[in-house]
């Protein structure tokens, strides 16, 4: 029997080898790649949540003595140190905190005296909150919202953490609401996303090359050790 008669068998063997390699190595590679990405995401989420806790304590310490300008300077200092990192503070209705003197007037009225002077510094300007996630942080009961956004090809990791109206805060803010504000943290992760994509392209190319090499090597081996003896 000629070589042409065995060609279909060789093709089938090659196909079986390629499919087996793709399913075996591919599924293993996908599993480890997915585990790696999930680990990175969980680590980023945990770090941002930890940072939001630190910011929560810092803002609380600024607000108790009524040092709002210190909070503003603190936010600006963090952003100037790391341009990819932004801190935002919203009122429970979604308006930017420190955008006017409404809260100061409300607190002074509740206390019956001018405990805090109106601010003369320029108002802070924030991007509007993402309402569906902001509503989670401002709800009752509240919960921390962690999510991603894409703006102008930039990828951001975001955290909205509620500022609870604790008993020690009610003297100024009143006791008729649970949430007195929401901390927003936005971290630019564009470089990390690009690095992940580059890693995926490189890993995919190496995987494809490995499958082709192994398929060729195994096909030649099987042809010489199995098919050729049968042809004789």
């Amino acid at each position: 029997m000629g070589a042409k008669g065995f060609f279909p068998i060789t093709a089938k063997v090659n196909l079986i080898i390629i499919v087996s390699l793709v399913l075996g190595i591919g599924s293993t590679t996908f599993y480890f790649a997915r585990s790696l990405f999930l680990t990175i995401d969980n680590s980023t989420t945990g770090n941002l949540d930890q940072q939001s806790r630190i910011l929560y304590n810092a803002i609380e310490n600024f607000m108790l003595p009524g040092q709002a300008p210190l909070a503003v300077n603190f936010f600006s200092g963090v952003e100037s140190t790391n341009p990819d990192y932004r801190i935002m503070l919203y009122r429970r209705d979604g308006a930017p905190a420190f955008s006017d003197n409404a809260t100061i007037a409300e607190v002074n009225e509740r206390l019956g005296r001018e405990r805090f002077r109106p601010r003369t510094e320029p108002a802070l300007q924030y991007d509007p909150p993402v309402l569906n996630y902001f509503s989670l942080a401002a709800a009752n009961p509240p919960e921390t919202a962690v999510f991603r956004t894409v703006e102008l090809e930039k990828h951001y990791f975001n955290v909205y953490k509620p500022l609870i109206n604790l008993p020690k805060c009610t003297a100024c803010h009143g006791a008729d609401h649970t949430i007195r504000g929401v901390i927003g943290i936005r971290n630019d992760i564009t470089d990390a996303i690009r690095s992940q994509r580059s890693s995926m392209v490189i890993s995919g190319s190496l995987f494809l090359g490995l499958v082709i090499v192994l398929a060729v090597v195994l096909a030649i081996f099987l042809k010489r050790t199995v098919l050729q003896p049968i042809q004789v």
Side-chain angles (χ1 to χ4, degrees), residues 104-116 172:
I104 293 178
E106 179 182 342
V107 171
N108 287 336
E109 182 180 358
R110 180 172 287 109
L111 296 177
R113 60 190 175 93
E114 191 177 275
R115 171 67 175 81
F116 304 110
C172 292

Side-chain angles (χ1 to χ4, degrees), residues 118-196:
R119 294 178 60 251
T120 58
E121 300 85 356
L124 294 183
Q125 299 297 326
Y126 299 144
D127 297 330
V130 183
L131 294 179
N132 54 330
Y133 292 103
F134 184 87
S135 61
L136 295 176
N140 190 14
E143 62 178 277
T144 299
V146 181
F147 60 99
R148 287 186 179 186
T149 54
V150 180
E151 301 174 14
L152 300 176
E153 299 183 356
K154 288 275 191 178
H155 295 259
Y156 298 98
F157 214 106
N158 305 268
V159 173
Y160 285 159
K161 187 175 185 62
L163 272 173
I164 306 299
N165 191 27
L166 300 174
K168 58 186 176 182
C169 306
T170 57
C172 292
H173 293 278
D176 59 343
H177 52 276
T178 304
I179 305 301
R180 60 187 177 94
V182 173
I183 301 173
I185 303 176
R186 188 178 72 175
N187 191 20
D188 188 346
I189 58 170
T190 304
D191 291 339
I193 294 294
R194 289 174 180 170
S195 178
Q196 287 182 355

